[in-house]
Amino acid sequence: MALTKTARFGLIAGLVPLTMLGASYAAVPLYQLFCQITGYGGTTQVATEAASQVLSRTIQVRFDANVAPGVPWSFKPEKPVVSLKLGENGLAFYTVKNESNRPVTAVATYNVTPHKVGPYFQKLECFCFQDRTLQPGESMELPVIFYVDPSLATDRNVDEVTEVTLSYTFFEAGDKAIEQAQAGGAEPTVTTQ
């Protein structure tokens, strides 16, 4: 049975908005996957094992700590900078404290600058992989174990890079601003601690 011209038009007119709605729901997870795979926007990588080699070339890693407006936490790195060789495992600690009189659950977004180093910055373990809940007045040390992939040394686009900044921003869980930040939208205003 063939559809009439009007019926075909109606079917297409109904399917187009449904397709667009489905694409809009898929856009955020697909964009996040793209960033994780390519390192786009300074997105770091997740490693399952240490680097297979350590080179003599060193790189400085600076640590930045921020909280989004409304998150009643103090947050800072224990050491502001470390120097390590390409492929060498680094261990850094951040200290976070809930300054409020209520429990707060927050999650950290992260990136590195310069952004072109994102594909080479490998995290073995990170507090940013899950939400954190702190009770009123509670403080906690949060570790991150990482390395800068030795293959960075073969990429001529990053020859001039001698310093990388690893930046975290805590957002209250369920905050719409975190969804925007994770989707690559405009960076929300943050408070550096």
Side-chain angles (χ1 to χ4, degrees):
M1 175 171 153
L3 294 174
T4 66
K5 197 175 197 180
T6 305
R8 278 193 309 248
F9 178 77
L11 182 62
I12 291 170
L15 286 176
V16 168
L18 286 175
T19 302
M20 291 173 67
L21 180 66
S24 69
Y25 278 103
V28 171
L30 289 175
Y31 182 77
Q32 288 174 329
L33 180 62
F34 170 77
C35 290
Q36 289 169 350
I37 291 171
T38 65
Y40 182 76
T43 302
T44 63
Q45 306 302 298
V46 177
T48 56
E49 57 187 38
S52 59
Q53 63 178 335
V54 176
L55 305 180
S56 60
R57 178 175 166 185
T58 60
I59 192 161
Q60 284 196 321
V61 180
R62 294 195 172 279
F63 302 103
D64 181 47
N66 306 284
V67 294
V71 178
W73 286 9
S74 58
F75 179 46
K76 63 182 182 181
E78 288 189 1
K79 287 173 102 177
V81 63
V82 297
S83 183
L84 54 108
K85 295 177 180 177
L86 294 183
E88 178 183 8
N89 284 352
L91 172 63
F93 288 96
Y94 284 78
T95 302
V96 64
K97 182 177 182 184
N98 182 352
E99 303 287 351
S100 75
N101 60 2
R102 66 179 173 90
V104 176
T105 300
V107 62
T109 62
Y110 51 89
N111 71 356
V112 294
T113 53
H115 290 167
K116 60 187 173 181
V117 177
Y120 301 102
F121 200 96
Q122 306 285 331
K123 290 184 185 176
L124 290 162
E125 189 63 44
C126 183
F127 61 88
C128 59
F129 295 158
Q130 59 190 342
D131 293 0
R132 296 287 170 174
T133 301
L134 294 178
Q135 298 304 315
E138 181 181 11
S139 62
M140 184 181 294
E141 268 193 351
L142 304 173
V144 58
I145 302 171
F146 62 94
Y147 65 90
V148 179
D149 195 308
S151 64
L152 178 132
T154 63
D155 185 344
R156 298 298 152 228
N157 293 321
V158 291
D159 274 348
E160 80 289 354
V161 176
T162 59
E163 182 177 286
V164 177
T165 300
L166 175 60
S167 182
Y168 290 99
T169 302
F170 264 111
F171 292 86
E172 195 153 355
D175 187 343
K176 292 293 181 192
I178 191 171
E179 294 171 13
Q180 181 183 11
Q182 289 175 331
E187 282 294 316
T189 305
V190 294
T191 305
T192 302
Q193 298 293 322

